[in-house]
Amino acid sequence: MCGIVGYIGDKQAYPILINGLKRLEYRGYDSAGVSILNKTVKVFKKKGKVSDLDDFASKKDTNGTIGIGHTRWATHGEPNDVNAHPHISMNGHFILIHNGIIENYSRLKEKLTDRGYKFKSETDTEVLANLIEYIYLKGKVTAEIAVRLALSKVVGAYGLAIICKGEPDKLIAARKGSPLVIGVGE
Ligand code: GLU
C-alpha cells in the first residue's frame, strides 16, 4: 500500500518529505519519489528504498518550500524509475502523486491520445495528470477546478496530492475511498 506526503510552508520541503516517507515505509512499497517546486519543477524518483532515493536526491538541488513525496505499490506498470511517482503532465503544468487505481484509465488514455497526448509511463496515474492538464488548458480554469472536473470523470479509488506550476502557493489534495490527513500549524 503506498504512502503520500505533501508539504507547503516556510521550511525546506525536502527533509520533511523524506522523513514523512520513511515513516510510511512500514506500509510496503517498491519505489519512491519526491518533487519540489521552486520556480522550476524538480522530480527525483527511484526504484527501491526511500534511502536509495535520498542517496540520489540529497546530492541534487532540493531547495524549495513546496513539495510532494510518494512510496509506490505498483498496480499499473512494473516497478521502475519511470513508472515511479510523481508524474508530470505532458506540458509540465501539473505534478501529481496518487494512491489507488483509476479503473477507467484506458478509455481516458485513448481519448487523450486522440487529442495529441503522449505518455512516458505505463501508469494510470499519468493519465490523470494529463486529463487534469487537458481540462486546465482547454477550459482555461483554475487548477482546483481542473482537478474537480477531471475527478468527476474518474472511476476508482484514490488519494492524491497535486501541484500546479502556475499556482505555486497551493497544494491540492483529494481523496475517495482512501484516507487523507491535513495538518495545519506553526
Ligand atoms: N495505480 C498507481 C500506480 O500503479 C498507484 C499505485 C499506488 O497506490 O501506489 O502507479
Side-chain angles (χ1 to χ4, degrees), residues 120-172:
K120 290 184 187 147
S121 79
E122 301 157 291
T123 63
D124 49 343
T125 304
E126 191 186 9
V127 174
L128 182 55
N130 283 333
L131 177 63
I132 294 168
E133 181 182 271
Y134 175 75
I135 292 171
Y136 175 76
L137 294 176
K138 179 100 177 149
K140 297 190 172 55
V141 292
T142 63
E144 184 189 331
I145 298 290
V147 170
R148 285 183 187 275
L149 290 172
L151 291 178
S152 73
K153 301 187 185 312
V154 159
V155 179
Y158 47 78
L160 295 164
I162 305 166
I163 295 173
C164 176
K165 202 176 158 191
E167 299 181 26
D169 55 347
K170 229 178 258 175
L171 181 61
I172 298 175

Side-chain angles (χ1 to χ4, degrees), residues 93-111:
H93 291 281
F94 286 88
I95 308 107
L96 183 144
I97 55 184
H98 163 223
N99 164 14
I101 293 176
I102 310 296
E103 286 169 25
N104 58 336
Y105 88 102
S106 61
R107 181 84 193 99
L108 295 170
K109 190 170 183 175
E110 269 170 35
K111 285 189 179 173

